[in-house]
């Protein structure tokens, strides 16, 4: 008779900013849970607004509150400690904010400090080709990589689409990269 594993399920924070792939989060949570992960969802304030009607579903799927704001001093943290952070989709604003250290949203702040705590952070952008052409975007991607974040951008990650064009978001690549990081 085999012994049950004493290793707890890895905790993966799934963060999203307001881009169309965020609307797919319930399905992504289901896929991640099938991998044996304990998932906690964090949203930028605008992404929370977009997904407000789906927050109860996300909380039921994960067993955790969906977090989108900093806790007040003295309040307990409502989420278990993360083993990895996947920030996908990460908008132009979120990528640049993380790189600049502007942590006005909880998900950006948590992702920005996680490498300093030894927690792997994987960032998959979701930007169109016009925004990706802005010189700050390439600088921000380089800063995130310098900060020890894995940016899933380019051939094995997210490839920018033309403005107004909708292509499938490469969730499979994001989940595979988290699997590797764990």
């Amino acid at each position: 008779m085999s012994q049950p594993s004493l290793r707890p399920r890895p905790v993966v924070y799934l963060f999203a900013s307001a881009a169309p792939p965020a609307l797919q989060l319930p399905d992504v949570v289901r896929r991640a849970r099938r991998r044996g992960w304990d998932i906690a969802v964090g949203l930028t304030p605008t992404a929370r607004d977009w997904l407000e009607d789906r927050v109860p579903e996300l909380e039921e799927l994960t067993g955790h509150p969906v977090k989108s704001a900093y806790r007040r001093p003295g309040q307990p943290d409502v989420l278990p400690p993360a083993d990895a952070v996947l920030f996908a989709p990460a908008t132009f604003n979120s990528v640049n904010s993380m790189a600049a250290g502007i942590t006005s949203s909880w998900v950006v702040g948590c992702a920005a400090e996680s490498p300093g705590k030894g927690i792997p952070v994987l960032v998959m952008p979701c930007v169109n080709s016009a925004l990706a052409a802005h010189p700050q975007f390439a600088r921000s991607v380089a800063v995130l990589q310098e900060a020890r974040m894995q940016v899933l951008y380019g051939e094995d990650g997210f490839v920018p689409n033309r403005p107004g064009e909708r292509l499938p978001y490469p969730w499979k690549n994001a989940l595979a990269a988290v699997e590797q990081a764990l």
Side-chain angles (χ1 to χ4, degrees):
M1 188 189 290
S2 67
Q3 291 284 336
S5 173
L6 297 177
R7 185 174 179 266
R9 295 184 308 157
V11 176
V12 176
Y13 285 5
L14 175 57
F15 292 167
S17 41
L23 301 173
Q24 301 164 356
L25 283 184
D27 179 57
V28 175
V29 168
R30 286 183 193 94
R31 292 167 61 187
R33 289 191 47 88
R34 283 195 296 271
R35 290 175 177 259
W37 304 339
D38 184 3
I39 301 296
V41 173
L43 303 170
T44 63
T46 304
R48 173 121 191 174
D49 182 56
W50 283 23
L51 290 162
E52 192 61 41
D53 293 343
R54 312 260 342 242
V55 166
E57 177 186 6
L58 289 166
E59 290 178 341
E60 185 176 323
L61 286 170
T62 64
H64 301 291
V66 171
K67 192 167 175 180
S68 57
Y70 285 102
R71 62 185 168 94
R72 292 190 174 121
Q75 284 183 323
D77 201 341
V78 296
L79 301 178
D83 293 303
V85 174
L86 171 61
F87 199 145
T91 60
F92 182 76
N93 184 57
S94 292
V95 168
N96 290 327
S97 293
M98 271 189 292
I102 300 170
T103 59
S104 55
S105 83
W106 177 76
V107 295
V108 169
C110 183
E113 76 175 352
S114 289
K117 294 178 172 181
I119 301 167
V121 175
L122 300 94
V123 178
M124 184 175 282
C126 185
V127 299
N128 65 41
S129 57
L131 288 172
H134 191 288
Q136 185 56 50
F137 185 72
R139 288 192 288 266
S140 291
V141 167
V143 168
L144 296 181
Q145 291 168 330
E146 183 183 345
R148 299 184 322 275
M149 294 185 195
Q150 184 179 352
V151 182
L152 306 169
Y153 180 67
E155 189 177 316
D156 293 327
F158 178 78
V159 177
N161 49 292
R162 290 188 305 270
E165 178 183 43
R166 295 278 165 93
L167 298 175
Y169 193 69
W171 285 112
K172 183 176 122 186
N173 296 6
L175 296 175
V178 172
E179 187 83 49
Q180 291 256 333
L182 290 170

